[in-house]
Amino acid sequence: MIINNNLNAINIYNQLKKASNNKSKHIEKLSSGLKVNRAADDSAGLAISEKMRSQIRGLDMAFKNMNDGISFFNVGDGALEEVSQMLIRIRELAVQASNDTLTDSDREQIDDESGQLISEIDRISNDTEFNTINIFKPGQPILKTITVTKALGAMVSNYTLEDVTIKNIINDASVNVADVQNFYITKVDGTTTTVSFDLGKSIKDNVDPTFDGFAHNMYEADGTITQANKDKFLDTFVKGLQAGFDANMSPSTKIGGYFDSNNKMVFTFEDFSNITMACNTASSQSFGHGFLHSMFNSSSFQQNTTTTTTTIAEYDKRHLYIQAGANSNEIVDFEWDVLDSKVMKINDLKLKSLTEAQKAIDQCDKATNYVLNIRSTMGAYTNRLEHGIKNVDTSSRNLSSSESEIRDADMAKEMIEMSKNSILEQVAQSLLSQANQLPNKVLELLR
């Protein structure tokens, strides 16, 4: 028997501390409802759980963001509904003003109502807001210059109409001897094609059936030709070529003609870079072997261009950026057209005359289509956001379930564990009391 170290009491005390500590932990879990209350409980689980909580909170906020976006577009759609109804009314007034049973005074009154409706459209455009954010108001117009350059192939005749050689050809030739000409064409884009038709027949069938007689008799007795006859010859020739190309080439080309400073005929073929010609027959009594050969050869072909410039006003689209997810770069950009009478081109709409009323009908139709395009865009955005909300809600619930598996305590299991450790603690306390009595037996040996 020893008295310095009561090993039984020490062992029981250790078990008592262990049971007490375990009981305290289970009480903590039961009181908080969490099985991970500190990093020591489950360091890996805590890290995963915290990241999941961050995602869940972000998804919940994205849910609210998209709901706000739907509300934003609902406000816009409501305003557009009124604009659409006003445009329908303006069109109705335009149809009424198109009736010639009305007096000028009647049309003045109709125009007054139309003007008020257009002003209201502008007011709605300027004042429709969501959380002080304007939905439709356009900014400053952006002026853009559009320049269109078209290649124009110019072919210059080697002769003037007064030239003896060409005069003899015209006098001796027939414009319609069933002589098919092949026109070999190179376009500005590098592609090649061949067009075949009887030019004389094209002239007689499509332009002037009496051209043959005119051509043989257009010269005066002294061999000269009047300007009127020159112009008629050139105009008829161009129209015959145009008819032939239109019938045998798709898409066709635009052909023109004029007299240059040297009194030579110049023919222009839009988007051609070269053109030559040959005849299918060997007839010398045709334009193909005479007059046409003086024109359709590559040495007389020059490339000219025509340029047209147009200035248009464009307006920047409106944008709404929605944070639709829990992470960065999950922003969705929604854009739509701005709106006012100037953008819809009805700011100058008038109903004071029959002509203005007719024009106004077309203006209203185009403006209505413009508004409907914006409404359909906003409706599509609303539907998209509604589906996005469902996805975010599902993701949030699934993540919450996963996070619960990691962090939430199983209350029944914790109750079992706490009861077990409570019993062990009570047993240890009772045994410790008995173990503390064992050294007292040494006293009995001293009696």
Side-chain angles (χ1 to χ4, degrees):
M1 299 179 72
I2 59 176
I3 60 173
N4 287 328
N5 292 291
N6 190 342
L7 296 179
N8 289 328
I10 293 172
N11 289 332
I12 294 171
Y13 178 68
N14 288 336
Q15 292 299 321
L16 176 62
K17 287 196 297 181
K18 182 178 178 182
S20 296
N21 289 336
N22 288 337
K23 179 182 176 181
S24 297
K25 289 181 180 179
H26 291 300
I27 289 174
E28 182 182 27
K29 291 176 181 180
L30 286 169
S31 62
S32 67
L34 300 174
K35 64 181 175 183
V36 180
N37 290 286
R38 57 178 67 86
D41 293 337
D42 184 355
S43 57
L46 180 67
I48 296 171
S49 173
E50 287 298 307
K51 287 189 289 185
M52 284 186 172
R53 283 189 173 185
S54 175
Q55 287 290 300
I56 293 166
R57 294 279 291 275
L59 289 171
D60 290 343
M61 185 53 67
F63 183 96
K64 294 179 181 178
N65 291 346
M66 287 190 279
N67 265 323
D68 288 342
I70 290 175
S71 299
F72 181 96
F73 289 124
N74 284 340
V75 171
D77 185 64
L80 292 174
E81 167 66 19
E82 290 305 314
V83 172
S84 181
Q85 292 302 315
M86 284 187 283
L87 288 172
I88 291 173
R89 175 56 180 165
I90 294 171
R91 190 184 190 280
E92 182 182 10
L93 293 173
V95 173
Q96 182 181 9
S98 296
N99 192 14
D100 224 11
T101 61
L102 299 178
T103 65
D104 291 342
S105 176
D106 295 332
R107 289 196 175 101
E108 286 280 354
Q109 294 174 356
I110 292 173
D111 186 69
D112 287 343
E113 181 180 349
S114 171
Q116 290 299 316
L117 292 174
I118 292 173
S119 296
E120 180 61 16
I121 288 174
D122 285 335
R123 190 196 67 79
I124 289 175
S125 168
N126 292 328
D127 296 347
T128 301
E129 295 180 344
F130 181 89
N131 191 31
T132 71
I133 300 170
N134 196 284
I135 300 178
F136 297 114
K137 187 177 181 179
Q140 291 298 318
I142 302 170
L143 299 180
K144 292 187 176 181
T145 301
I146 300 176
T147 302
V148 179
T149 301
K150 289 189 175 181
L152 206 62
M155 211 144 13
V156 185
S157 170
N158 292 334
Y159 305 96
T160 66
L161 285 179
E162 290 86 348
D163 190 279
V164 175
T165 302
I166 202 65
K167 179 175 180 293
N168 291 336
I169 291 173
I170 293 173
N171 284 334
D172 295 338
S174 169
V175 292
N176 188 10
V177 292
D179 204 11
V180 175
Q181 288 85 46
N182 293 332
F183 300 89
Y184 304 106
I185 298 159
T186 302
K187 298 182 180 180
V188 292
D189 61 4
T191 59
T192 60
T193 187
T194 301
V195 177
S196 301
F197 62 91
D198 183 345
L199 176 61
K201 189 174 187 306
S202 177
I203 292 174
K204 283 195 169 185
D205 291 348
N206 300 289
V207 187
D208 185 0
T210 65
F211 181 68
D212 197 357
F214 164 76
H216 290 321
N217 297 285
M218 67 180 183
Y219 291 95
E220 304 297 320
D222 60 357
T224 60
I225 181 173
T226 64
Q227 188 61 46
N229 283 345
K230 286 182 183 180
D231 293 340
K232 181 177 179 181
F233 184 90
L234 176 64
D235 181 65
T236 304
F237 207 87
V238 169
K239 290 179 178 177
L241 281 171
Q242 187 70 68
F245 273 79
D246 289 347
N248 296 278
M249 182 179 179
S250 180
S252 186
T253 184
K254 185 177 180 181
I255 303 174
Y258 61 92
F259 291 100
D260 68 7
S261 58
N262 295 319
N263 207 26
K264 292 182 178 181
M265 283 193 293
V266 179
F267 295 86
T268 58
F269 296 81
E270 192 173 280
D271 296 328
F272 284 10
S273 63
N274 194 21
I275 182 170
T276 58
M277 193 212 73
C279 291
N280 283 358
T281 63
S283 170
S284 61
Q285 297 299 312
S286 74
F287 280 163
H289 273 67
F291 188 66
L292 288 178
H293 273 248
S294 72
M295 293 182 296
F296 292 94
N297 60 83
S298 57
S299 63
S300 64
F301 198 92
Q302 303 169 1
Q303 186 73 341
N304 296 330
T305 58
T306 58
T307 302
T308 56
T309 301
T310 305
T311 300
I312 61 172
E314 290 187 352
Y315 295 85
D316 285 336
K317 293 178 179 289
R318 302 289 294 181
H319 289 264
L320 180 68
Y321 299 97
I322 297 291
Q323 175 68 32
N327 304 314
S328 61
N329 300 320
E330 291 186 354
I331 288 179
V332 181
D333 178 13
F334 297 99
E335 67 173 25
W336 61 95
D337 291 317
V338 295
L339 181 76
D340 70 0
S341 61
K342 188 177 294 184
V343 174
M344 294 189 292
K345 296 181 174 58
I346 59 170
N347 57 310
D348 60 347
L349 187 147
K350 297 295 181 183
L351 302 176
K352 295 181 179 180
S353 68
L354 176 61
T355 302
E356 290 177 339
Q358 287 288 296
K359 179 182 177 183
I361 294 174
D362 291 334
Q363 288 177 288
C364 288
D365 288 339
K366 292 177 181 178
T368 299
N369 288 333
Y370 184 87
V371 172
L372 291 177
N373 285 336
I374 301 177
R375 289 194 71 186
S376 63
T377 298
M378 287 191 166
Y381 290 161
T382 300
N383 289 338
R384 177 179 177 179
L385 286 171
E386 287 175 351
H387 286 289
I389 283 174
K390 292 178 182 178
N391 175 63
V392 165
D393 186 45
T394 301
S395 298
S396 178
R397 284 188 285 107
N398 290 337
L399 277 174
S400 296
S401 176
S402 299
E403 197 266 344
S404 175
E405 291 292 330
I406 296 173
R407 202 152 187 169
D408 288 346
D410 184 338
M411 301 299 283
K413 181 180 178 181
E414 296 301 330
M415 283 294 296
I416 293 172
E417 292 296 324
M418 188 195 73
S419 298
K420 181 187 74 173
N421 284 288
S422 179
I423 293 171
L424 290 175
E425 182 184 35
Q426 293 176 32
V427 170
Q429 288 174 346
S430 177
L431 292 175
L432 182 61
S433 175
Q434 296 179 30
N436 287 334
Q437 297 299 320
L438 289 177
N440 291 334
K441 294 182 179 182
V442 177
L443 297 175
E444 295 180 2
L445 296 176
L446 297 177
R447 290 176 183 171

